[in-house]
Amino acid sequence: MKLQFLPLESLCVSRLNMRHGRKQPDLANLLPSIRKRGILQPLLVRPLCVGASPAPGQGSNSAGTGRPPDASSAPLAPTHEILAGRRRYHAACLIAAEERDATSEDRAIPCAILEEGDDAAALEASLLENAARLDPDEVTQWESFVRLVKAGRDIPAIADMFALPPLAVRRILALGNLLPRIRTLYARDEIDRATIRHLTLATKRQQREWLDLREAPGQHAPTGHMLRQWLMGGAAIPVRHALFDVPSSGLETRADLFGEDAYFLDPEAFWAAQNAVIANRREAWLASGWREVVIVPPDSHFALWEHEKCPKRKGGRIYVDVRASGETVIHEAYVRRGETRKSGRDEDGPDGSGAQRSLRPEMTSSLAAYVDLHRHAALRVELLERPDIALRLMLAHAMAGALHWHVHADPQQARRADIAQSLATAPAQMEFAARRAALLATIGLAEDEPSLCDMRGGEARLLRLFQRLLDLPDKSCLDVVAMLMAESLACGSATLAHLGPLLGVDMGKWWRGDTVLPALVRDRELLLALLADVAGESVARANGATRSTTLRMMLGDHLTHGNGRAAPEGWVPRWMAFPPGAYSARGGVPMIDADQRAGEALAGNEGAGLTKGDHEHEARPAVSAVGPGAAIDATGPDCDERDSWYSGPMGPDALVPEGGTVSGAPVAAISAQDEAVGDCAAPAKDMPGAQQAAGDVGVPASDMPGSREARAA
């Protein structure tokens, strides 16, 4: 190996460079230092083999590569290829392009030239140069920055030289407030960054005490947020939680030298000032007409789920939730749940002599919360050590449901009976049902279970499922994961549009033509386009004047192989393929819209959210409580003369067409007591004439408030 300065024009990036072929490199952190100091580390190059051409776009010509133009002479042919140093090369090219009057000698850069050898040795050298590099730790950076400060450099100059934000330079320089022993521990990764940040709050005496505690046998030095509390002598109250003006209050604060947080040194003085502000605001709220202002002290807890909204004119209160951290949260216009409704119960007992007072429970709510939180914290840490158990527990939660878990299977709702029949007999649907039945048998569940999601049954069923999953191998658990994801995948969503090409879905394998598709096509132009697809352009042109009914019959014959006609093997409509296509430029193809939304989302477009067609079942207006005389509008975008839709009042005298579908009030089942349970669209002829329907009901019938009404979940 020899060192030599080579002109930029004689260099190109080798195909063997481990960073070859990627997009234009980010040069933000290199340009400032190279502009000022030039290239300090030589590039690793080797002679270009005779007859070999440089990689396209990597220096083979001056156009589009960042190669500096040379007006005085034609560009030199590359003689060496770069094995390591692609970013330095591109930065030098960019700087040379800015300096138009520079000569070829001025644009020469230092290179370490390897001997000619095989490609394996060159690739090995490229990997070693890039992978064996070790970035300096923050303590090493601090030592270097301190030397620069002593040499007269200020923080903005250092930040500009190393392409760092000034705040990052200040944070590194803040390590100088720490004892050398602490910096050494940090350099060895024996102290995390959160602990270091809090140690910058400590005085030198506190730092020595912390080190003594850390090194004492049988002792444990606090770290993280516990260290902050240890330094502050208890609760560390951030300045940001103060309701008063901190500078004018005169209270002492201490900020960590990273400039991220500041804390009050005297908690008692903070609470005196904070409580005075709360008292003044309380008087102002009462004077403005509020019924009551309740101050929730730090040793209590405001449970939002135990309260409900109530306006001021109806007796709503203001709850001031004062927390031990110093934070104060205002809950305006609330009362305790059920306080505004009549309980329907007398204060006296059933015998009129007065109810017997219940015994005081053993634990208060605060004591129970204390014990529960500590048990919860310990179990979470232990669960991290057993991902096998965590996987099975997650599956049980997804299958049975829990307080924080709600996974629903896609209902696959079909608005017409013929569409539902076509889906039920589709090869993909039958294969899916067979696999689900086999998986249910593996878990030990009934094969007629409609879905792995929404099994319900509370914690009792959850725990039973979890116990069964513990006995299954990992392969079977992963099969359950795949089945749950497949069941809950939303129909018509952008996610589905993105997954199709990713999984390589061949719709010709899973779809069989039927007569339902032609019956759903109401556009003559589309009928002719589909006929041209399955029978050829000549057949479509010959039948250009044929009636639509005949075109549907011909198309149905091709799809079902009837009357000697047949579609090409594996043919599917363009809409059905992954990615989808169209037969006209008119738009209005939801599959293409979903595919476009997926592309926009992956491109980083924040506006690519849910639109029409994405989670369509969520976009429908649900009827939360439809009583006698209320109207359900069940019209839809694909209604035609074969559809029977109902729009009108729901009541004892409601007239619903035979076989019509009540859509908009999804009801899975109507019990004998006319209580709605579930989520589907039931044929109107099967619904009792006098029941009151409700939308999206997710509670058992036994929890319904009455025999002839339903609540929305």
Side-chain angles (χ1 to χ4, degrees):
M1 181 186 296
K2 62 178 180 178
L3 296 177
Q4 184 178 341
F5 280 83
L6 296 177
L8 280 174
E9 293 83 355
S10 66
L11 298 175
C12 65
V13 179
S14 171
R15 296 177 187 271
L16 300 175
N17 190 304
M18 67 172 291
R19 304 188 188 278
H20 162 70
R22 298 188 179 182
K23 61 182 180 180
Q24 189 75 8
D26 181 13
L27 308 175
N29 63 336
L30 276 183
L31 280 174
S33 61
I34 292 180
R35 280 197 176 102
K36 189 167 185 178
R37 299 292 185 187
I39 294 179
L40 302 178
Q41 170 129 7
L43 281 65
L44 193 62
V45 303
R46 74 169 183 176
L48 194 63
C49 298
V50 178
S53 59
Q58 300 293 335
S60 58
N61 53 63
S62 60
T65 66
R67 164 94 31 102
D70 191 345
S72 61
S73 61
L76 298 175
T79 60
H80 292 77
E81 56 182 353
I82 301 170
L83 299 174
R86 175 172 173 260
R87 293 176 67 232
R88 283 166 277 166
Y89 167 72
H90 279 281
C93 289
L94 185 61
I95 294 172
E98 297 171 356
E99 301 170 354
R100 298 282 181 174
D101 56 346
T103 63
S104 179
E105 290 76 10
D106 295 334
R107 292 197 294 265
I109 58 177
C111 298
I113 305 175
L114 294 176
E115 298 293 337
E116 294 188 39
D118 58 11
D119 287 351
L123 181 58
E124 184 181 66
S126 175
L127 289 171
L128 285 173
E129 207 276 349
N130 284 280
R133 184 181 303 146
L134 182 64
D135 292 331
D137 56 65
E138 288 189 350
V139 175
T140 304
Q141 292 181 19
W142 167 78
E143 293 171 348
S144 302
F145 288 176
V146 167
R147 293 191 186 101
L148 290 174
V149 170
K150 290 180 179 179
R153 302 288 193 275
D154 56 8
I155 290 178
I158 297 174
D160 183 60
M161 170 62 69
F162 294 96
L164 293 172
L167 180 58
V169 177
R170 291 191 183 94
R171 288 175 179 171
I172 293 174
L173 289 174
L175 297 176
N177 188 53
L178 302 174
L179 294 174
R181 288 162 61 195
I182 294 179
R183 287 199 297 268
T184 302
L185 292 173
Y186 184 43
R188 295 175 183 169
D189 287 334
E190 296 183 29
I191 303 177
D192 59 34
R193 193 172 186 277
T195 301
I196 281 292
R197 185 177 75 243
H198 293 316
L199 280 173
T200 60
L201 289 164
T203 63
K204 291 293 191 293
R205 180 183 58 81
Q206 288 176 318
Q207 292 180 33
R208 283 190 291 270
E209 290 176 355
W210 184 84
L211 282 172
D212 293 340
L213 189 61
R214 184 181 185 277
E215 296 171 358
Q219 297 294 325
H220 174 73
T223 58
H225 71 280
M226 298 300 296
L227 171 60
R228 183 184 62 200
Q229 295 183 7
W230 181 79
L231 292 172
M232 296 296 175
I237 302 176
V239 170
R240 64 179 181 273
H241 290 165
L243 298 177
F244 51 88
D245 183 51
V246 177
S248 61
S249 68
L251 297 183
E252 283 189 90
T253 62
R254 181 187 296 172
D256 62 52
L257 298 183
F258 284 13
E260 295 181 356
D261 293 306
Y263 303 90
F264 289 99
L265 294 180
D266 189 348
E268 292 184 2
F270 162 80
W271 283 116
Q274 189 87 334
N275 290 335
V277 174
I278 294 174
N280 292 336
R281 291 191 182 184
R282 180 178 181 275
E283 295 300 325
W285 283 322
L286 292 173
S288 64
W290 285 97
R291 166 191 169 190
E292 187 179 359
V293 178
V294 180
I295 308 298
V296 182
D299 57 352
S300 299
H301 175 65
F302 177 81
L304 188 60
W305 57 87
E306 294 179 356
H307 297 76
E308 58 186 351
K309 294 289 286 186
C310 180
K312 179 168 67 172
R313 59 184 176 82
K314 292 187 177 182
R317 304 185 185 93
I318 291 180
Y319 289 85
V320 182
D321 186 10
V322 182
R323 300 177 180 176
S325 63
E327 184 180 9
T328 303
V329 182
I330 311 299
H331 302 277
E332 190 173 294
Y334 278 90
V335 294
R336 294 191 65 84
R337 190 170 297 278
E339 188 175 336
T340 58
R341 295 189 292 269
K342 293 182 179 180
S343 64
R345 295 173 296 185
D346 294 331
E347 295 182 359
D348 292 337
D351 57 357
S353 60
Q356 181 181 1
R357 295 186 61 185
S358 60
L359 296 176
R360 186 173 61 182
E362 179 176 329
M363 301 179 72
T364 64
S365 60
S366 297
L367 177 58
Y370 173 89
V371 175
D372 274 337
L373 288 171
H374 278 280
R375 285 160 54 91
H376 183 257
L379 190 139
R380 289 198 308 177
V381 174
E382 295 293 340
L383 189 60
L384 295 179
E385 302 298 324
R386 295 298 303 273
D388 55 331
I389 291 180
L391 171 64
R392 289 158 175 80
L393 186 60
M394 181 190 72
L395 292 177
H397 276 70
M399 294 166 67
L403 179 61
H404 303 302
W405 282 77
H406 301 284
V407 180
H408 304 289
D410 188 280
Q412 290 190 308
Q413 290 180 347
R415 298 181 178 181
R416 296 169 48 129
D418 52 357
I419 297 177
Q421 179 64 25
S422 174
L423 179 64
T425 57
Q429 195 76 349
M430 296 173 68
E431 174 68 15
F432 192 90
R435 293 195 184 185
R436 177 167 52 198
L439 194 57
L440 287 169
T442 302
I443 303 173
L445 299 174
E447 292 186 4
D448 58 352
E449 192 79 37
S451 168
L452 263 70
C453 308
D454 293 331
M455 290 186 177
R456 299 184 184 171
E459 278 196 316
R461 185 159 198 180
L462 186 154
L463 291 173
R464 288 195 297 268
L465 284 170
F466 174 56
Q467 198 61 36
R468 293 175 185 175
L469 291 168
L470 284 176
D471 298 329
L472 295 182
D474 289 349
K475 172 64 170 61
S476 299
C477 289
L478 291 177
D479 290 341
V480 177
V481 171
M483 180 61 67
L484 281 170
M485 189 61 254
E487 285 188 342
S488 58
L489 186 62
C491 178
S493 64
T495 303
L496 185 143
H498 176 62
L499 279 176
L502 183 66
L503 298 177
V505 177
D506 179 11
M507 287 301 302
K509 174 182 176 183
W510 297 111
W511 178 76
R512 295 292 178 266
D514 52 30
T515 58
V516 178
L517 176 67
L520 296 173
V521 180
R522 299 296 176 183
D523 188 291
R524 181 182 180 81
E525 177 186 349
L526 292 182
L527 284 171
L528 290 171
L530 289 168
L531 189 61
D533 252 12
V534 298
E537 291 287 345
S538 58
V539 175
R541 285 195 298 269
N543 290 277
T546 305
R547 296 178 57 188
S548 296
T549 304
T550 305
L551 291 176
R552 291 192 187 94
M553 182 188 68
M554 295 174 62
L555 185 57
D557 286 343
H558 279 89
L559 295 181
T560 59
H561 294 218
N563 296 323
R565 297 166 174 159
E569 187 67 25
W571 178 86
V572 296
R574 298 177 190 174
W575 314 303
M576 198 175 286
F578 288 99
Y583 288 95
S584 69
R586 291 179 292 175
V589 181
M591 301 82 200
I592 295 180
D593 296 339
D595 193 68
Q596 291 174 349
R597 291 197 306 277
E600 292 171 359
L602 293 174
N605 183 358
E606 295 295 334
L610 296 181
T611 57
K612 185 177 180 181
D614 202 356
H615 301 300
E616 185 179 356
H617 62 283
E618 295 179 4
R620 289 197 206 104
V623 182
S624 63
V626 182
I632 298 177
D633 185 4
T635 58
D638 55 356
C639 296
D640 53 45
E641 65 271 18
R642 296 188 59 187
D643 291 309
S644 296
W645 295 91
Y646 172 68
S647 177
M650 287 291 293
D653 300 323
L655 297 178
V656 182
E658 180 70 12
T661 301
V662 179
S663 177
V667 178
I670 304 297
S671 67
Q673 291 78 28
D674 299 337
E675 295 173 342
V677 180
D679 179 7
C680 80
K685 62 185 179 61
D686 296 337
M687 298 173 64
Q691 99 291 337
Q692 299 177 2
D696 289 346
V697 177
V699 294
S702 59
D703 294 341
M704 294 296 177
S707 62
R708 301 183 66 80
E709 70 179 26
R711 292 184 305 181

